[in-house]
Amino acid sequence: MEADNLVQRLGIKHIGIIMDGNGRWAEKRGLPRKAGHPKGAEAFRRCLNSCVKLGIPCVTFYAFSTENWSRPKDEVDALMNLFLSFMDEMMKLSSKNIRLRFIGAREGIPEKILEKMEEAESRTVGNTGMWCCVAFNYGGKEEILHAAKKAMQMYKDDEIDSLDEEKFSSFLYTSGLPDVDLIIRPSGEQRLSNFLIWQAAYAEFVFMDVLWPDFSEADLIAALTEYGKRNRRFGGV
Ligand code: IPE
Ligand code: IPE
Ligand code: MG
């Protein structure tokens, strides 16, 4: 399939990408696992540019899960330092007309990172282009629980008297964004790992053997092309 207008022809509104395989990429080269993460950051940069080029309206990248805190301290520290230094680059997204949103629990994120996240987000609020969401300290179960608590509080405060899917969705971190059409997971693993479990109710999944640091524009186009072969029925016939 031609890459030109591919996204428009497929009607894709939102894709999710699980950036997995950094550790194995490093281990394959005899390097410590944490050496894979800066390479993963380069792949993120590349992939974001490809998403802009292909005209994807919204993309969510899974960067760090609520479960990833359980990794060895030196790997978590390396990831936090990488994230902090990457924030300066995220600040520049505003010049590309990208709208940035971090999704996930804010509690538990080191203050220094949180400040930069909020600054980077606020710099892009006036933009009108592609949505780039970064799932950081994100867990789908935590997100649903957080939304449920918000709904309970609003009910108690007489701000809502009923709940439906649309209302509940508006309490999620992805409020206002369309559900994901496609989730791409490199690294060979075939699971969601707590990513967008509500929003992926009717998503198509493309699992790929490539490790995230090696993920290329050709891989992205291959995943989109595979999506184009699927028959989405949404329970109908
Ligand atoms: C993804 O790569 C990065 C994060 C989860 C932060 P991994 O570090 O999970 O790499 P593998 O899966 O162990 O190879
Ligand atoms: C999912 O990858 C989280 C991110 C890519 C940020 P993991 O490597 O943490 O997932 P599992 O442990 O293989 O399920
Ligand atoms: Mg992994």
Side-chain angles (χ1 to χ4, degrees), residues 3 8 11 13 19 54 88 99 107 117 125 182 185 198 202 206 215:
Q8 290 90 325
K13 294 197 174 64
M19 304 190 284
L54 293 169
D88 293 323
R99 286 178 279 191
E107 302 76 35
M117 278 165 62
V125 278
L182 165 67
R185 182 167 194 160
W198 171 284
Y202 265 104
V206 174
F215 192 87

Side-chain angles (χ1 to χ4, degrees), residues 33-210:
R33 286 180 48 82
K34 63 183 179 190
H37 299 310
K39 289 288 168 188
E42 278 175 33
F44 165 78
R45 190 181 294 128
R46 249 190 349 256
C47 187
L48 184 60
N49 285 333
S50 300
C51 289
V52 174
K53 189 170 138 194
L54 293 169
I56 294 170
C58 178
V59 55
T60 299
F61 293 94
Y62 203 5
F64 192 85
S65 74
T66 45
E67 288 73 35
N68 287 146
W69 295 106
S70 68
R71 294 189 177 199
K73 188 179 179 303
D74 79 316
E75 185 175 343
V76 171
D77 288 349
L79 278 163
M80 291 303 138
N81 287 332
L82 178 66
F83 203 72
L84 190 61
S85 60
F86 208 73
M87 276 299 116
D88 293 323
E89 197 170 321
M90 299 298 275
M91 301 279 179
K92 296 182 196 135
L93 290 182
S94 59
S95 62
K96 293 187 177 176
N97 199 25
I98 291 174
R99 286 178 279 191
L100 180 65
R101 187 187 296 186
F102 289 101
I103 64 167
R106 299 279 156 132
E107 302 76 35
I109 295 178
E111 197 57 43
K112 269 197 299 195
I113 296 180
L114 199 57
E115 276 170 21
K116 289 207 175 192
M117 278 165 62
E118 284 168 359
E119 188 185 341
E121 270 181 336
S122 69
R123 281 195 194 189
T124 69
V125 278
N127 288 352
T128 53
M130 185 182 92
W131 275 107
C132 170
C133 303
V134 178
F136 182 73
N137 194 24
Y138 176 88
K141 287 189 175 182
E142 191 284 328
E143 178 180 41
I144 292 170
L145 201 56
H146 180 263
K149 287 179 182 168
K150 190 165 172 178
M152 269 168 59
Q153 189 59 48
M154 289 180 83
Y155 183 78
K156 254 170 64 185
D157 296 343
D158 273 335
E159 288 172 44
I160 53 168
D161 56 13
S162 65
L163 201 53
D164 56 20
E165 284 185 14
E166 198 185 330
K167 186 98 219 141
F168 191 76
S169 293
S170 76
F171 298 150
L172 298 172
Y173 300 126
T174 50
S175 170
L177 303 176
D179 278 352
V180 269
D181 301 297
L182 165 67
I183 290 195
I184 302 169
R185 182 167 194 160
S187 91
E189 307 301 348
Q190 304 196 357
R191 54 178 172 262
L192 270 180
S193 301
N194 207 7
F195 186 48
L196 300 179
I197 53 181
W198 171 284
Q199 300 86 341
Y202 265 104
E204 296 295 328
F205 297 94
V206 174
F207 299 107
M208 306 176 88
D209 282 331
V210 59

Side-chain angles (χ1 to χ4, degrees), residues 6-22:
L6 177 63
V7 171
Q8 290 90 325
R9 270 189 285 129
L10 297 173
I12 286 183
K13 294 197 174 64
H14 187 175
I15 68 170
I17 301 180
I18 302 177
M19 304 190 284
D20 195 23
N22 297 351

